[in-house]
Structure formats: C-alpha cells, structure tokens
C-alpha cells in the first residue's frame, strides 16, 4: 500500500525507502531464524528466473566491452551495460522485489493469512479506485493529490501515468473476480465483492487506457474459460455439470460487462466512450509505438545475446532513433521487446521461464478441494494474465508498485498446500515443535497418562502450551 501511495514508487527517494524496507525484512527474517533456531526457506521454482535476472545484471556490470557495436564512444567503465548506473539501480529494485516475493512465499503459510492478504488487497483496491475516481472528477488530470502539477503526463489516483493505474486495477480486481467466478465465497458476501470489483472496473475504464480495457476484457475471458471446478477425487465432474458451470460463468461475465458499462455511463457519462473511440490518431493508431518498436528491434539485433544492459534503454534509444535523435524515450512501451533489448536472449529465456512456471504451477495448485484456495489461485492467474497482455502495449511492470503486486499474486497462485483448509501442514510447525521440546525438557510428557495419548492429542496440548 505504501509503494502504491508513494506515486507508485518510481522516484529515487521512494525506491530508496523501498530498498530499506526490504533490508528490514531481511533483518526480521534473521531474528525469526535466531528465535526459532532454524531458517525458513521455500523451494518455489519461480524464484530461479528472478535470481537469474540478478545474475545477468551483475554480468552486465563487468568491464569486458572493448568495441561498441554502434561505433560510438562508451563510458570509461567499459562495462557490458551501456548504462551501468541504471543497471545498478535496476538490480537494487529487482533484489528488493525478490525479497518481498520470497517473504510472501514463506510467511503466507496458513489459511488465515491467505484470507487476510486477499481481503487486504481487495479492500485497498476498492479504496484506491474510489480515490482515483474522486480525483479525476475534481481535477483536470494534470495534478496528483491535488497539489503536484504535471506537464507531460495524465495522472490518475496516486500514479503519474494513468496507464499504470489501469495496470494496478487489473491486478487488484483479479482476486474478487476469481472468488466470484469460482463460487468460493458465501452468498451473503458476494454482493460486497461484486460491488468492489465493479468500482475497480469502472475506475479502470475511466482512465481511458485502451491497453487497460483490452486487458480487462482478456481477464474476464480468461476467468470464463478456467474458473470452473477442478478435479475431485482425481476425476473430473460430469460433462453436464461442467457445461452448466460454464454457462453460469458466461452469464456472470456478461452481467459484469453490463454493470461496468452502466457504471461508467452513470459516473462518467457517455462522453467517456466517445473519448475512448476518438483517441486513436488516424495517421498512427499506435500513438508512436510502431516507431518505438522498430527502433527497439534494431537494438535487439545489435545486442542479441545479453542485451545492452538492464535499464539502459533510454541511453541506447537515441543512438538508433531514425528520426531527429533528440527525442528521449524512457521505455519501449512493450515489456517483451524491452526485455530482449535490455537482457538479450538470456533475459528473454528467463522471462519466458518465469511465465511458463507460473501458469504450469498455478494450474496445478487449482486442483484442490479447498474452494477459497482455488478461487484465489484462479484470480491471481487471471490478474497476471491481464498484465502480461497489457505489457504488449505499455510498461506497467516497470512501476514498482505494480511489479510488487504482480509478484504477490504470482506467490499466491503458486503457494504450496500449507494455505489449504484442512491441510496437515497448517500452522507454524517449528513453533509447535519448539513448544513440544520445551515440555519434554520439563518432563511433562513422561506422565503415564500422556505416554499413552494419541499423537493428535500431543499436538493439541503442545499448541495450547
């Protein structure tokens, strides 16, 4: 929540605070290990592509470059990265994100904690949507928090770029939609979740972000396809029951679309859709993106293996720009092309591995009898899918707040069975074990009555102690 409210954490001061908070988590993690006399780790394979990206950045900082492919002078450092300063900054950002990602995997270890984080994201997303709508009606889109004046972008909510707000809404709306489409919440709670999702959807549409609206439609379509019940007892449900569930999901999707359109017209008026349809330029419907992508392809051809350096796009772009050369572009407006430009084939393979592991493991985690867990995994996958679609048009994952929420959803989608209701791994096993050892040292388990007790009773007594 703090990374979101701090303008999405894109400024140096916010990034510094974010890195310090990640260091604080490491310190608390160490204290926890000292108290429990054991270090908690997680073997989720999604960690390895992220760590591989850090290793790639470190390799790019080695002073091994001798000749510039473009025939232009390099920095005195002669690093493989054409912008070593930006590469170091990206490494700090990625390392901080990885720390939060791993901490989410380790410490979201009970059904109660899973429900807490899901409700927190849903409530905060709803409040953020209300704040964004309120600000959009009371300002002209050039002010953030009503006092910071912008000159080169259109703000929405706490984000300087309205497209990044749309990307955040795609992620936040995913959890309530996943629970609704999966039928994982009680009937009396469904209107609350539906209302929260509707407000977030309306706020997304009000940003007038075409990429965001396309991604929202893709997210709903994704839920219609996969949000059905998983395996039960190792067997799929009867065909008639699966068809009925698919029809219900389709009806829910259509109803949601009608509510979103109606909500937008009531809140923003019919002029919202007029602006949306009239925003593309007839001469260039991509709003300059086609040219950006062509220049990015030239960069990829020149640095195909390990790229030009993480975060170096703004420096290398001016060298290959076929226009006047004075237009500076910070991002390529396509995360996939920029990953190949910054990290080359190695970076592309790491990114592809992350996506494949995410969906393979996430679909596997959906096969559970725990409805809430299945709904969370479904919604988290839908949110990640929506942002991956949006990444074809924008660079929402370059905003720290969006990247952090994306990784949290990835962790929730691929978390192990500890968060399932009725799981034998529930609770803090090491804490229970420590309590049991303390009782053994005091001789509490050497009484005749307890020596013949069942193991389950021992666990109950130890937990109570």
């Amino acid at each position: 929540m703090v990374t979101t409210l701090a303008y999405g954490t894109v400024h140096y001061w916010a990034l510094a605070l974010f890195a310090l908070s990640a260091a604080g988590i490491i310190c608390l993690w160490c204290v926890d290990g000292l108290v429990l006399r054991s270090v908690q780790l997680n073997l989720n394979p999604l960690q390895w592509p992220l760590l591989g990206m850090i290793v790639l950045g470190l390799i790019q900082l080695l002073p091994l470059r001798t000749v510039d492919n473009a025939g232009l002078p390099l920095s005195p450092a002669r690093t493989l990265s054409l912008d070593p300063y930006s590469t170091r900054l990206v490494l700090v950002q990625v390392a901080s994100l990885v720390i939060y990602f791993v901490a989410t995997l380790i410490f979201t270890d009970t059904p109660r904690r899973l429900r807490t984080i899901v409700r927190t994201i849903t409530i905060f997303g709803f409040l953020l949507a209300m704040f964004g709508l309120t600000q959009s009606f009371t300002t002209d889109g050039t002010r953030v928090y009503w006092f910071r004046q912008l000159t080169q972008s259109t703000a929405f909510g706490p984000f300087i770029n309205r497209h990044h707000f749309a990307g955040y809404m795609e992620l936040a709306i995913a959890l309530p939609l996943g629970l609704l489409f999966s039928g994982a919440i009680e009937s009396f709670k469904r209107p609350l979740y539906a209302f929260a999702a509707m407000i977030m959807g309306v706020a997304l549409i009000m940003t007038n972000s075409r990429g965001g609206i396309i991604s929202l439609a893709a997210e709903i379509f994704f839920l219609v396809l996969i949000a059905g019940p998983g395996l039960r007892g190792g067997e799929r449900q009867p065909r008639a029951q699966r068809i009925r569930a698919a029809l219900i999901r389709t009806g829910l999707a259509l109803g949601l679309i009608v509510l979103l359109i109606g909500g937008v017209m009531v809140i923003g008026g019919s002029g919202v859709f007029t602006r949306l349809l009239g925003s593309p330029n007839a001469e260039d419907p991509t709003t300059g993106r086609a040219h950006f992508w062509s220049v990015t392809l030239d960069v990829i051809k020149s640095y195909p293996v390990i790229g030009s350096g993480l975060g170096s796009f703004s420096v290398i772009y001016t060298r290959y720009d076929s226009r006047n050369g004075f237009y500076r572009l910070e991002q390529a407006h396509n995360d996939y092309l920029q990953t190949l430009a910054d990290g080359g084939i190695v970076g592309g393979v790491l990114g592809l591995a992350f996506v494949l592991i995410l969906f393979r493991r996430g679909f596997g985690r959906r096969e559970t009898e725990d409805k809430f867990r299945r709904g969370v995994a479904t919604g988290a996958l839908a949110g990640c899918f929506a942002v991956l679609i949006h990444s074809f048009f924008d660079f929402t994952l370059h905003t720290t707040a969006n990247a952090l929420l994306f990784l949290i959803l990835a962790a929730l989608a691929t978390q192990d069975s500890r968060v399932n209701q009725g799981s034998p791994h529930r609770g803090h096993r090491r804490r229970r074990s420590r309590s049991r050892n303390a009782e053994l040292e005091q001789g509490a388990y050497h009484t005749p009555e307890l020596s013949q007790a069942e193991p389950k009773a021992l666990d109950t007594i130890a937990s109570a102690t």
Side-chain angles (χ1 to χ4, degrees):
M1 290 187 288
V2 174
T3 57
T4 305
L5 297 177
Y7 305 109
T9 308
V10 293
H11 301 89
Y12 290 150
W13 62 268
L15 288 171
L17 293 177
F18 179 63
L20 288 175
S21 69
I25 285 184
I26 291 292
C27 295
L28 293 174
W29 197 346
C30 293
V31 171
D32 187 66
L34 291 174
V35 172
L36 300 179
R37 296 181 181 180
S38 62
V39 178
Q40 301 184 63
L41 298 174
N42 193 285
L43 300 180
N44 192 314
L46 275 180
Q47 300 170 100
W48 306 121
L50 297 174
L51 295 176
M53 192 64 70
I54 295 177
V55 173
L56 174 61
L58 294 175
I59 293 174
Q60 291 175 339
L61 291 176
L62 297 176
L64 301 177
R65 192 185 298 277
T66 57
V67 179
D68 185 10
N69 295 347
L72 298 175
L74 292 169
S75 64
R78 299 285 180 179
T79 58
L80 295 176
S81 171
L82 299 183
D83 189 357
Y85 174 79
S86 296
T87 301
R88 294 189 189 97
L89 188 64
V90 170
L91 284 177
V92 172
Q93 183 183 21
V94 173
S96 303
L97 289 169
V98 170
I99 291 172
Y100 273 95
F101 175 67
V102 176
T104 304
L105 289 173
I106 292 176
F107 297 108
T108 307
D109 57 355
T110 64
R112 181 179 179 180
R113 290 186 174 184
L114 177 65
R115 288 180 177 270
T116 299
I117 194 170
V118 169
R119 290 169 180 168
T120 300
I121 293 173
T122 302
I123 294 172
F124 179 70
F126 167 75
L127 296 177
L128 188 67
M130 292 294 294
F131 167 66
L133 289 172
T134 302
Q135 183 175 267
S136 68
F137 294 141
T138 54
T139 65
D140 57 356
T142 61
R143 292 181 180 272
V144 184
Y145 290 121
W146 292 280
F147 64 84
R148 179 175 177 179
Q149 182 70 39
L150 303 178
T151 58
Q152 297 181 349
S153 61
T154 303
F156 206 98
F159 290 87
I160 297 175
N161 190 321
R162 58 190 173 92
H163 301 286
H164 297 169
F165 181 90
Y168 197 93
M169 287 294 103
E170 295 160 13
L171 294 166
I173 197 177
L175 293 178
L177 287 184
L179 294 173
L180 288 171
F181 276 79
S182 300
I185 51 178
E186 298 85 348
S187 57
F188 66 92
K189 294 182 180 179
R190 291 172 188 171
L192 295 176
Y193 281 83
F195 181 71
M198 186 193 73
I199 294 298
M200 285 187 272
V202 169
L204 188 157
I205 297 174
M206 290 291 293
T207 62
N208 205 20
S209 170
R210 286 175 288 163
I213 295 174
I214 292 173
S215 301
L216 177 62
E219 186 173 12
I220 296 174
F221 182 72
F222 182 88
L223 288 169
V224 171
L225 288 182
I226 74 159
L231 298 176
R232 291 189 175 181
E235 298 180 357
R236 291 195 176 277
Q237 290 186 330
R239 181 179 179 183
Q241 192 170 355
R242 285 188 281 119
I243 293 176
R244 179 175 177 273
L247 292 176
I248 292 176
R249 295 195 304 273
T250 303
L252 182 60
L254 295 175
L256 176 63
I257 293 173
V258 171
L259 284 176
L260 290 178
I261 295 175
V264 169
M265 294 188 67
V266 170
I267 296 176
S270 59
V272 174
F273 296 102
T274 303
R275 292 193 302 270
L276 178 65
L277 296 176
S279 58
N281 189 332
E283 297 180 357
D284 185 8
T286 64
T287 320
R289 287 177 173 82
H291 176 69
F292 305 156
W293 299 339
S294 65
V295 176
T296 306
L297 290 174
D298 293 335
V299 176
I300 295 171
K301 294 175 184 177
S302 298
Y303 304 93
V305 181
I306 62 171
S308 61
L310 300 179
S312 66
F313 185 81
S314 61
V315 172
I316 195 65
Y317 178 83
T318 56
R319 299 188 180 186
Y320 290 87
D321 189 7
S322 58
R323 293 181 178 174
N324 53 29
F326 292 100
Y327 185 79
R328 177 170 178 172
L329 189 69
E330 295 289 340
Q331 312 294 344
H333 290 264
N334 185 307
D335 282 339
Y336 303 99
L337 291 179
Q338 186 162 346
T339 299
L340 292 173
D342 289 355
I345 296 175
V346 176
V349 170
L350 291 173
L352 179 62
F354 183 90
V355 173
L356 292 178
I357 295 172
L358 169 62
F359 285 95
R360 183 177 182 275
R361 191 176 179 89
F363 279 117
R365 290 293 181 259
R366 289 187 64 253
E367 306 298 340
T368 174
E369 294 289 341
D370 185 353
K371 288 185 177 181
F372 187 84
R373 168 62 194 279
R374 186 170 65 244
V376 170
T378 301
L381 287 176
C384 293
F385 176 77
V387 167
L388 291 175
I389 294 295
H390 200 169
S391 294
F392 281 104
F393 316 105
D394 283 304
F395 50 98
T396 58
L397 289 180
H398 283 76
T399 303
T400 305
N402 291 8
L404 178 59
L405 184 53
F406 175 84
L407 288 179
I408 290 176
L409 292 189
L412 297 183
T414 59
Q415 183 60 287
D416 55 37
S417 60
R418 292 177 299 168
V419 296
N420 289 2
Q421 291 285 352
S423 170
H425 304 291
R426 285 179 58 185
H428 304 283
R429 292 173 291 176
R430 291 183 177 85
R431 289 178 172 82
R432 291 204 302 265
S433 177
R434 187 164 175 262
S435 299
R436 186 157 46 245
N437 290 337
E439 292 295 332
L440 284 172
E441 292 175 358
Q442 298 174 8
Y445 285 131
H446 292 288
T447 60
E449 295 80 7
L450 291 178
S451 63
Q452 300 176 0
E454 294 291 333
K456 184 175 181 180
L458 290 176
D459 288 341
T460 303
I461 295 173
S463 299
T465 306

